[in-house]
């Protein structure tokens, strides 16, 4: 898939494209809008990490460089995730209480897709660290095989986002019914 050279944003689509990632050309008079391009993680075992991000979360391997690095993407994009063992082959995760990445968040296009990913997570025996209904989204939190925090979530349509009396977002941190979500998996 050809990616435009002009700045792009990410939007959800109804065309069934994986994860809803679609380039959107901005009008030439609009200022460029930055967006997150990818996350690149140091991992201890490349094959184990690929299996998690490919088989559980649903990304596709787009490039691999032997036993040292791989890139995975969704919807035809060159990569949303980079994995490498250049400085971390066989290493252990950093200890708690240190700085570093809190989590990577992966947006799925709808509740049904999120439910299907949750089913793969639970079928693989991966523990869920937490789950929340943020009003704007439904989110589940877990860890990848290298103990990196991972959020998988789906956004509600912007018209359904909770707002206060002045129209500002009023996000919440309410419990998410994980069992109900899992029951929707096909």
């Amino acid at each position: 898939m050809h990616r435009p050279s002009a700045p792009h944003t990410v939007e959800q689509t109804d065309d069934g494209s994986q994860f809803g990632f679609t380039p959107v050309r901005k009008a030439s008079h609009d200022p460029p809008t930055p967006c997150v391009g990818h996350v690149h993680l140091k991992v201890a075992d490349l094959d184990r990490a690929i299996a998690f991000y490919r088989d559980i979360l649903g990304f596709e391997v787009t490039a691999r460089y032997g036993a040292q690095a791989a890139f995975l993407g969704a919807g035809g994009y060159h990569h949303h995730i980079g994995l490498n063992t250049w400085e971390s082959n066989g290493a252990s995760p950093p200890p708690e209480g240190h700085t570093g990445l809190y989590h990577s968040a992966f947006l799925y296009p709808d509740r049904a897709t999120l439910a299907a990913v949750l089913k793969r997570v639970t079928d693989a025996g991966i523990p869920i660290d937490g789950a929340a209904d943020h009003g704007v989204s439904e989110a589940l939190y877990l860890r990848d095989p290298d103990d990196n925090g991972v959020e998988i979530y789906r956004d509600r349509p912007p018209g359904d986002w909770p707002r206060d009396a002045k129209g500002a977002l009023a996000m919440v941190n309410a419990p998410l019914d994980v069992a109900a979500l899992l029951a929707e998996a096909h």
Side-chain angles (χ1 to χ4, degrees):
M1 174 175 169
H2 174 70
R3 303 301 281 188
S5 58
H8 68 278
T9 58
V10 177
E11 71 175 2
Q12 290 190 17
T13 65
D14 294 325
D15 68 359
S17 61
Q18 187 177 15
F19 303 124
F21 296 112
T22 302
V24 177
R25 230 180 247 282
K26 295 178 65 77
S28 61
H29 61 275
D30 288 344
T33 303
C35 65
V36 176
H38 69 272
V39 60
H40 199 126
L41 303 171
K42 295 189 288 186
V43 299
D45 180 321
L46 186 62
D47 289 328
R48 181 182 69 183
I50 289 171
F52 175 80
Y53 287 99
R54 181 193 60 213
D55 302 340
I56 304 298
L57 297 191
F59 288 86
E60 298 173 359
V61 175
T62 59
R64 181 162 180 164
Y65 299 94
Q68 294 188 326
F71 296 94
L72 296 93
Y77 191 62
H78 55 79
H79 75 287
H80 292 100
I81 303 166
L83 305 169
N84 78 67
T85 59
W86 299 322
E87 300 172 359
S88 55
N89 192 27
S92 60
E96 287 191 36
H98 286 73
T99 60
L101 180 69
Y102 187 70
H103 70 241
S104 303
F106 300 102
L107 174 64
Y108 291 86
D110 53 42
R111 187 173 165 92
T113 306
L114 182 62
V117 174
L118 173 60
K119 181 167 180 12
R120 290 196 302 268
V121 166
T122 58
D123 286 353
I126 298 167
I128 302 295
D129 292 343
D133 181 337
H134 295 301
V136 298
S137 63
E138 294 177 306
L140 299 133
Y141 302 91
L142 52 135
R143 302 221 154 257
D144 78 1
D146 291 287
D147 210 29
N148 294 305
V150 173
E151 174 184 352
I152 56 174
Y153 72 106
R154 70 102 182 181
D155 274 342
R156 287 191 170 89
D160 294 342
W161 294 355
R163 300 200 174 267
D164 66 17
K166 294 182 179 181
L169 277 180
M171 291 177 59
V172 297
N173 198 26
L176 176 65
D177 187 341
V178 176
L181 179 60
L182 190 55
E184 294 180 33
H186 299 173

